[in-house]
Amino acid sequence: MGISSLTDTYTLANGVEIPVVGFGTWQTPDGDVAYQSTLDALAAGYRHIDTAAIYGNEESIGRAIKDANIARQDLFVTSKLWNTEHTYDKAKQALEDSLARLQLEYLDLYLIHWPNPLQFRHDWEKANAETWRAMEEAYAAGKIRAIGISNFQPHHFEALLKTAKVVPMVNQLYVNPADLEEDAVAFNNAHNTLTEAYSPLGTGSLLAVPEIEAIAAKYNKSTAQVTLRWSLQHGFLPLPKSTHKERIIANTELFDFELAPEDVAVLDALSGSDPAKQHTDADKTQF
């Protein structure tokens, strides 16, 4: 099966190793919930934590990381630059602010969260180039081990490459069986850029899809486990989110089965069926 455990890694273009499953924290409220769920994830074996400035939970996650007392080199921590900070100077400061909230000396991965936020829409290409230059400098200085992008469609990615000295190592996208993002994934692959899958369960909307339920019954697995396994078999890096300890643990149990090709094909054929699809379609046009 190739991948056999939660701490197995993909290797990014610069040689940095990234654990194949990350713990997502989007929509996890700051305070006790973010703190405890992150502690539970680390106790369950996750070593890859994904957050963002806009999530508003970096401080709680940083506290959990510190209290878990795991060697820093054994953890992989990602954060993201929010839409309001798309200038050279603001991006530099935003990184420092995230590091301070997380109580970390460096990030393992830092991403531009969106390619085309409203206030920079008149000149988004220049804004991204300035932002990326600041991130490249922080990368060269060792404050970030890898740099990447999020929600970039091919035309956004291509524009960034006009001035980039470092090709983005990751593009984090809304990817699941109902939204394959085939064009963006193909562009990522062509540039040796890893596809990370946020909302790999379709923000929960896929868990009651009859076709997935049937496959889950066949393997004696949950629909969530089947959907996450699908992501791994496509070479994606899923970022499942939960605040419930039992589900956090269950989302790690992906390595004792492999989906047959015909079952992967059934899941692929669900493209376009996500009830939450309006989320990603709106984002693609508005950002």
Side-chain angles (χ1 to χ4, degrees):
M1 286 190 286
I3 296 170
S4 60
S5 77
L6 198 63
T7 52
D8 281 2
T9 58
Y10 294 124
T11 301
L12 300 179
N14 66 342
V16 166
E17 295 187 350
I18 180 171
V20 295
V21 178
F23 181 64
T25 63
W26 179 41
Q27 297 180 329
T28 299
D30 195 35
D32 291 344
V33 175
Y35 174 79
Q36 189 59 52
S37 61
T38 302
L39 274 183
D40 289 342
L42 293 170
Y46 286 90
R47 292 297 179 264
H48 175 179
I49 306 294
D50 182 275
T51 185
I54 193 60
Y55 298 172
N57 55 21
E58 287 176 315
E59 287 186 2
S60 298
I61 289 170
R63 216 161 29 90
I65 288 171
K66 186 176 181 180
D67 289 352
N69 202 28
I70 296 167
R72 177 65 183 93
Q73 65 267 25
D74 294 333
L75 293 174
F76 194 101
V77 182
T78 301
S79 194
K80 309 177 195 76
L81 178 84
W82 186 235
N83 295 345
T84 52
E85 313 305 307
H86 282 210
T87 72
Y88 174 80
D89 289 331
K90 286 183 176 181
K92 289 181 72 171
Q93 186 58 52
L95 171 61
E96 295 298 335
D97 292 345
S98 282
L99 288 170
R101 287 190 292 265
L102 287 161
Q103 301 183 62
L104 298 176
E105 293 183 1
Y106 65 90
L107 285 174
D108 297 282
L109 178 63
Y110 196 47
L111 308 176
I112 299 178
H113 205 145
W114 286 100
N116 191 11
L118 185 59
Q119 73 184 85
F120 293 100
R121 186 156 304 162
H122 64 288
D123 204 359
W124 61 267
E125 188 172 334
K126 180 182 176 183
N128 284 345
E130 285 190 16
T131 298
W132 193 249
R133 180 165 62 92
M135 290 170 60
E136 287 176 330
E137 289 182 8
Y139 169 64
K143 291 185 177 181
I144 316 167
R145 296 179 66 225
I147 52 178
I149 52 182
S150 181
N151 299 296
F152 274 54
Q153 294 299 304
H155 67 285
H156 301 125
F157 196 152
E158 199 162 30
L160 189 66
L161 292 176
K162 293 177 184 177
T163 56
K165 296 177 181 176
V166 177
V167 176
M169 297 150 196
V170 166
N171 188 7
Q172 188 177 121
L173 299 169
Y174 182 88
V175 176
N176 54 59
D179 196 356
L180 301 181
E181 289 273 19
E182 289 174 299
D183 291 345
V185 169
F187 199 90
N188 291 348
N189 292 342
H191 293 86
N192 198 19
T193 299
L194 176 67
T195 298
E196 287 189 332
Y198 76 82
S199 297
L201 308 177
T203 61
S205 62
L206 297 179
L207 300 183
V209 172
E211 293 89 340
I212 303 180
E213 289 180 328
I215 293 171
K218 173 181 174 181
Y219 291 91
N220 196 27
K221 288 288 183 177
S222 70
T223 51
Q225 289 163 337
V226 163
T227 305
L228 294 171
R229 182 71 207 183
W230 170 91
S231 194
L232 290 173
Q233 288 184 217
H234 272 287
F236 305 147
L237 194 159
L239 300 165
K241 171 258 178 182
S242 181
T243 58
H244 303 283
K245 185 175 182 179
E246 67 279 4
R247 291 180 196 161
I248 289 170
I249 294 169
N251 287 343
T252 72
E253 296 168 351
L254 312 174
F255 307 102
D256 58 351
F257 74 110
E258 184 171 11
L259 298 172
E262 60 268 26
D263 294 322
V264 173
V266 168
L267 295 173
D268 289 350
L270 296 174
S271 183
S273 65
D274 184 357
K277 184 71 164 61
Q278 67 274 13
H279 155 82
T280 178
D281 280 348
D283 289 345
K284 285 176 192 172
T285 56
Q286 294 176 16
F287 294 90

